[in-house]
Amino acid sequence: MATPGHHTLSVLVANKPGVLSRVSGLFSRRGFNIESLAVGPTERADRSVITIRVDCTKHSVDQVAKQLDKLIDVIDVIEVQPDLAIERELLLIKVRSDAATRMEIMRLAEVFNAHVADAGADALLLECVEHPDRLAALEELLSPYTVIEAVRTGRVAMTRASVSNDAGRDRKSTRLNSSHVKRSRMPS
């Protein structure tokens, strides 16, 4: 039996209403829990990227990728290879702080390239953009100071600049990952 693992898919889609629902629906129909989901516009106003992180077998993620690629508004689907990509999340975390702990917390935040986004009399609001594993480490180190509130965005990923476009996505093309022909393609 194949072992489940974490897989990150980057899905280039037409920037239209209902696309996110159809894409995420494929995962829920197969019983997969989406661990992380982030959607945002690209350099082109008519396209968005949906980054989805799931825990399933390689075979299962390959099957879902093929099904995603059949959807009309899906332009391209790639599985992001962690060693060939940069992955980031944003963490906003509000930590209780007083005069005695404020500088300690700020020094700790600096180690993780976090910045003070807001400060109150008894709390600091930090923002940090980092790899998800580093954000988890920061959250753990801040926990003794009493975390009042924390929120993280979904993971976003992009193939490294040092890697050829064959391993990532060439946004000028509308290449298909599978051999079928779609009824509707967005122009380049």
Side-chain angles (χ1 to χ4, degrees):
M1 182 173 170
T3 313
H6 295 288
H7 300 276
T8 303
L9 292 176
S10 178
V11 185
L12 181 64
V13 298
N15 192 0
K16 294 181 180 177
V19 174
L20 175 60
S21 177
R22 286 189 294 281
V23 167
S24 62
L26 269 176
F27 289 87
S28 65
R29 281 193 300 278
R30 288 184 144 269
F32 296 145
N33 183 42
I34 295 176
E35 184 179 302
S36 171
L37 184 137
V39 184
T42 68
E43 70 284 354
R44 291 179 51 164
D46 62 338
R47 295 182 180 186
S48 292
V49 170
I50 302 172
T51 307
I52 304 167
R53 176 96 165 161
V54 293
D55 191 19
C56 61
T57 65
K58 175 70 172 141
H59 176 74
S60 294
V61 82
D62 288 344
Q63 292 300 317
V64 169
K66 287 176 185 174
Q67 289 178 2
L68 283 170
D69 204 33
K70 291 178 185 177
L71 295 176
I72 296 293
D73 294 321
V74 171
I75 299 164
D76 192 28
V77 180
I78 60 171
E79 182 175 359
V80 177
Q81 301 303 317
D83 55 333
L84 300 177
I86 300 294
E87 297 177 317
R88 295 290 184 263
E89 278 187 35
L90 166 66
L91 166 69
L92 293 176
I93 186 164
K94 193 183 304 179
V95 182
R96 190 161 320 284
S97 72
D98 55 25
T101 61
R102 190 164 293 239
M103 288 309 293
E104 265 179 62
I105 293 169
M106 289 172 67
R107 278 195 294 273
L108 180 61
E110 191 177 308
V111 171
F112 287 85
N113 297 318
H115 305 280
V116 175
D118 192 32
D122 62 350
L124 288 173
L125 174 61
L126 305 174
E127 66 179 354
C128 186
V129 176
E130 258 302 343
H131 188 278
D133 294 342
R134 286 191 41 94
L135 294 182
L138 175 60
E139 285 182 286
E140 185 177 321
L141 290 171
L142 289 172
S143 64
Y145 297 99
T146 307
V147 173
I148 299 166
E149 187 178 1
V151 65
R152 288 169 62 165
T153 62
R155 180 183 302 235
V156 293
M158 186 177 285
T159 304
R160 293 179 177 274
S162 58
V163 175
S164 76
N165 274 344
D166 293 341
R169 174 178 291 126
D170 179 0
R171 291 275 172 68
K172 291 186 177 117
S173 77
T174 54
R175 68 179 169 81
L176 295 174
N177 283 340
S178 58
S179 60
H180 73 277
V181 177
K182 293 192 178 183
R183 291 175 296 225
S184 169
R185 271 288 170 197
M186 298 195 61
S188 296

